[in-house]
Amino acid sequence: FVERNIGFIPGRRVASIDNARKVAILDDGVEMQFDLFLGVPRHRVPDVVIASGMAENGWITVNPRTLETNYAGVYAVGDGANTGTPKAGVFAEGAARAVASDLIVKLTNSGTAKQYDGFGTCYIEFGGGRIGKVEVDFFSGPKPTGTYHEASLALRADKEHFGSSRRARWFGM
Ligand SMILES: Cc1cc2nc3c(=O)[nH]c(=O)nc-3n(C[C@H](O)[C@H](O)[C@H](O)COP(=O)(O)OP(=O)(O)OC[C@H]3O[C@@H](n4cnc5c(N)ncnc54)[C@H](O)[C@@H]3O)c2cc1C
């Protein structure tokens, strides 16, 4: 950040935006001028999920290993499901795989469903073509474990394969 002259302000959040003045106001009252504001809105389930009554404390209660909700035959995957794993696409993908496996077992009346393993990979761009990687495993041991792979140029191919293999599988691209 220092190299690129980027300021990092930990422990503060943007409380409001004054668009007319192009100012972001932090929760301690500090005002920050901006040309372009890029922000992620507060994370929550859509109103339709709240209205359904499936959410408890804001998120849908599920069995973290099978993704079954408290309603028979209803599953929840993705950010709305309270699995205890991070709310990231890679975890939604793993959870969806477990649901698909469970549905196939139920429909075909054979085999054993593969449970959600809580495993995910996250790539971190360091600039200059270097990529770091974190692999986390939430459920296979007594407590979550993680492995960090130092940023390198070699990991770029790994990241590109992560993306291209999914584009091929999901969209035939
Ligand atoms: C800035 C940012 C960066 C991220 N980076 C990563 C990353 O690098 N790696 C990673 O794994 N994850 C990343 N994530 C997280 C990832 O995007 C989410 O975990 C993932 O998209 C969750 O999938 P989902 O299907 O549960 O929800 P979503 O992708 O949010 O899909 C929900 C969909 O439901 C639609 N919807 C809402 N209400 C209704 C309604 N009433 N009727 C019909 N449709 C409705 C929404 O429009 C939306 O399309 C990032 C998220 C953000 C915000």
Side-chain angles (χ1 to χ4, degrees):
F1 286 167
V2 171
E3 246 173 54
R4 303 290 160 132
N5 196 24
I6 295 170
F8 176 55
I9 306 171
R12 294 263 73 92
R13 63 180 184 84
V14 176
S16 61
I17 300 285
D18 184 336
N19 227 357
R21 291 196 297 133
K22 292 207 162 204
V23 160
I25 301 150
L26 305 189
D27 56 0
D28 59 0
V30 168
E31 295 196 346
M32 300 185 77
Q33 198 76 38
F34 63 81
D35 299 314
L36 173 67
F37 183 86
L38 299 173
V40 179
R42 185 172 167 222
H43 205 194
R44 59 190 286 276
V45 291
D47 289 338
V48 67
V49 175
I50 300 286
S52 74
M54 295 180 81
E56 290 176 286
N57 299 319
W59 307 103
I60 304 169
T61 302
V62 291
N63 174 330
R65 305 307 299 273
T66 64
L67 290 307
E68 290 165 300
T69 66
N70 292 334
Y71 299 80
V74 179
Y75 302 77
V77 297
D79 287 7
N82 201 0
T83 57
T85 59
K87 298 191 183 305
V90 69
F91 291 99
E93 181 192 29
R97 204 177 288 124
V99 173
S101 159
D102 197 49
L103 290 176
I104 289 167
V105 167
K106 284 189 173 129
L107 287 170
T108 59
N109 229 351
S110 68
T112 312
K114 198 175 169 300
Q115 292 199 321
Y116 174 41
D117 57 9
F119 179 83
T121 304
C122 181
Y123 294 96
I124 309 155
E125 292 273 355
F126 277 80
R130 291 176 308 137
I131 307 275
K133 180 164 93 164
V134 180
E135 289 174 313
V136 282
D137 176 346
F138 277 83
F139 294 150
S140 70
K143 60 180 184 150
T145 54
T147 311
Y148 175 59
H149 302 268
E150 289 286 345
S152 69
L153 293 174
L155 275 175
R156 173 154 297 279
D158 198 83
K159 184 189 175 204
E160 279 170 6
H161 175 72
F162 183 95
S164 64
S165 59
R166 281 161 177 80
R167 280 194 299 278
R169 202 169 72 234
W170 296 342
F171 308 115
M173 291 163 71

